[in-house]
C-alpha cells in the first residue's frame, strides 16, 4: 500500500507542465519570469497595449528635421539626451553634432523634460506639459520645445508598426479577447494606429497614473487584464495588471515589472503566450485527474492484497511516466502556433470607440 500510493504523480502534475510550457515559450522567444504567471495568463479576458515601443517598434524617426531651426534642434537634443524615451532618443540622434549642455534636467514620467536656466524654464514633452496648448490634428507623434510656457518648436515623428501587429490583434479578437490601447501619445495618432490594427477601444494622452486607473477600473469590473508595455510610463500599469508582458527592448524598470519578456519583434508572442498558458492549464488538470484516478483504482487493489511489492513499484512508476508523457504533449499541441495567429488575420473588427 505504501509503495503503490507514493504521491510522485501528484507531485509532478504541476511542475513538469510548467517546465515544458516555459521551454516551449523560450524556444519561441518568450521568457517566463514566474511560473505562477502562466496560471494567471490563462485567466485573462482583456489585453491592453501601450503604443510607442509596444505596438510600434519604438524606433521613431524625426520627419520635419529640415524645417526645424538649428538652434532649437540643439536645445531640444540637449534636453532629450537625459531621457531613454524613444522619441527623446530619436530627437537626440537627429541633431547633428549633439545638443546643448544643461547643468540639470528633470524628467517627469508621462509628461517630458524640464531644465531651469538663466534664460528661463525650458520644457520638452507633450504639448499640454510644454505650453498648455491644443493638440494638432495630424497623425504624427509630436514633441514640443517651450521656454517659459511659450512654444519654440514642434518636432514630428513617425514609427513603424511591429511585424504581425494586425494578425496578432485579430488572433486575440478571434479567441474572444477584448483589446485596447492605453497611450500617452496624442489622440489623432492613437486613433490612426487603432484603426490600422483593428482595435476598437483606445485612450490617449494618459499619464502613468491614468493608465493604472484604467487597469484598476477594468479589474473592479471583473476583467482579468493582460498589460503589454515597454517604458517607464508603463511600469506602474504593468505591476497593477493581473499579468503583464514587455518586449526585450523595454526600459529596465519595465522588464522588471513584467511577468513575461518577448525577445523578437513580432507581436505574435502575445497570443502565443496566452495559448500555451491555456493549454498548460488544461494539461495540469488532466494530470491531476490521471494521478487521482490511478490512486482510486490502485489503492483498493493493494488493500485487497492483490498487488505484490513488485507490481506496486511498477504501477507507481508507470503513473509518474504517464503524467510526464501527458505534459510532453504540449510540444505537439503547440506545433502549429504560427498557423494559430495567422489564421485569424482576416477576422473583421468593429470601428473606433474610446475605452470608457
Amino acid at each position: 500500500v505504501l509503495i503503490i500510493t507514493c504521491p510522485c504523480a501528484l507531485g509532478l502534475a504541476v511542475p513538469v507542465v510548467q517546465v515544458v510550457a516555459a521551454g516551449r515559450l523560450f524556444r519561441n522567444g518568450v521568457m517566463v519570469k514566474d511560473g505562477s504567471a502562466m496560471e494567471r495568463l490563462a485567466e485573462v479576458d482583456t489585453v491592453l497595449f501601450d503604443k510607442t515601443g509596444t505596438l510600434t517598434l519604438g524606433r521613431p524617426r524625426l520627419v520635419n528635421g529640415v524645417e526645424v531651426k538649428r538652434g532649437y534642434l540643439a536645445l531640444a537634443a540637449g534636453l532629450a539626451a537625459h531621457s531613454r524615451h524613444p522619441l527623446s532618443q530619436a530627437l537626440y540622434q537627429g541633431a547633428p553634432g549633439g545638443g546643448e549642455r544643461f547643468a540639470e534636467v528633470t524628467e517627469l514620467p508621462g509628461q517630458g523634460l524640464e531644465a531651469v536656466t538663466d534664460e528661463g524654464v525650458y520644457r520638452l514633452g507633450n504639448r499640454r506639459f510644454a505650453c498648455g496648448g491644443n493638440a494638432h490634428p495630424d497623425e504624427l507623434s509630436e514633441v514640443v520645445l517651450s521656454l517659459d510656457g511659450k512654444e519654440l518648436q514642434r518636432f514630428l515623428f513617425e514609427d513603424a508598426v511591429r511585424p504581425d501587429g494586425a494578425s496578432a490583434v485579430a488572433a486575440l479578437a478571434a479567441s474572444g479577447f477584448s483589446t485596447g490601447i492605453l497611450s500617452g501619445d496624442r489622440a489623432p495618432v492613437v486613433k490612426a494606429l487603432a484603426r490600422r490594427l483593428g482595435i476598437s477601444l483606445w485612450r490617449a494622452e494618459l499619464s502613468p497614473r491614468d493608465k493604472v486607473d484604467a487597469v484598476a477600473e477594468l479589474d473592479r469590473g471583473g476583467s482579468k487584464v493582460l498589460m503589454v508595455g515597454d517604458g517607464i510610463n508603463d511600469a506602474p500599469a504593468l505591476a497593477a495588471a493581473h499579468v503583464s508582458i514587455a518586449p526585450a527592448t523595454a526600459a529596465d524598470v519595465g522588464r522588471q515589472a513584467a511577468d513575461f519578456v518577448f525577445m523578437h519583434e513580432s507581436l505574435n508572442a502575445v497570443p502565443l503566450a496566452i495559448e500555451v498558458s491555456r493549454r498548460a492549464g488544461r494539461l495540469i488538470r488532466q494530470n491531476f485527474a490521471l494521478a487521482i484516478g490511478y490512486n482510486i483504482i490502485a489503492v483498493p487493489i493493494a488493500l485487497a492484497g492483490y498487488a505484490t511489492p513488485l507490481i506496486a513499484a511498477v504501477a507507481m512508476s508507470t503513473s509518474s511516466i504517464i503524467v510526464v508523457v501527458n505534459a510532453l504533449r504540449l510540444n505537439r499541441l503547440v506545433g502549429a502556433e504560427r498557423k494559430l495567429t495567422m489564421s485569424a488575420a482576416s477576422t473583421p473588427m468593429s470601428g473606433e470607440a474610446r475605452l470608457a
Side-chain angles (χ1 to χ4, degrees), residues 248-301:
T249 54
D252 292 341
V253 65
R255 292 197 304 272
Q256 183 65 28
D259 299 300
F260 296 82
V261 176
F262 63 91
M263 309 297 181
H264 303 316
E265 291 185 346
S266 174
L267 208 59
N268 277 334
V270 176
L272 171 63
I274 295 175
E275 181 64 16
V276 171
S277 297
R278 285 187 161 188
R279 288 178 172 176
R282 290 197 291 269
L283 288 177
I284 287 174
R285 291 190 291 272
Q286 290 174 13
N287 278 353
F288 274 124
L290 289 170
I292 294 173
Y294 155 77
N295 280 283
I296 290 175
I297 296 172
V299 171
I301 294 175

Side-chain angles (χ1 to χ4, degrees), residues 34 36 92 141 150 158 178 191 214 237 239 296:
D34 180 9
S36 65
Y92 179 75
S141 297
K150 179 181 178 181
E158 62 180 6
S178 298
K191 181 179 180 180
I296 290 175

Side-chain angles (χ1 to χ4, degrees), residues 92-110:
Y92 179 75
Q93 293 167 7
E100 298 286 343
R101 291 185 177 273
F102 289 91
E104 184 176 352
V105 176
T106 303
E107 183 172 12
L108 303 174

Side-chain angles (χ1 to χ4, degrees), residues 209-281:
R209 178 74 256 176
D210 293 334
K211 292 185 180 182
V212 173
D213 291 342
V215 171
E217 182 179 348
L218 289 169
D219 184 66
R220 288 192 297 269
S223 299
K224 301 293 185 182
V225 177
L226 165 63
M227 181 67 195
V228 188
D230 77 309
I232 296 175
N233 300 342
D234 305 312
L238 291 171
H242 188 63
V243 65
S244 54
I245 299 178
T249 54
D252 292 341
V253 65
R255 292 197 304 272
Q256 183 65 28
D259 299 300
F260 296 82
V261 176
F262 63 91
M263 309 297 181
H264 303 316
E265 291 185 346
S266 174
L267 208 59
N268 277 334
V270 176
L272 171 63
I274 295 175
E275 181 64 16
V276 171
S277 297
R278 285 187 161 188
R279 288 178 172 176

Side-chain angles (χ1 to χ4, degrees), residues 61-69 140 153-157:
R61 182 177 64 88
L62 182 64
V63 297
N64 66 330
V66 294
E67 304 171 6
V68 176
K69 295 181 180 179
L140 295 174
Q153 182 69 59
R154 66 191 294 249
F155 303 91
L156 300 177
F157 303 86

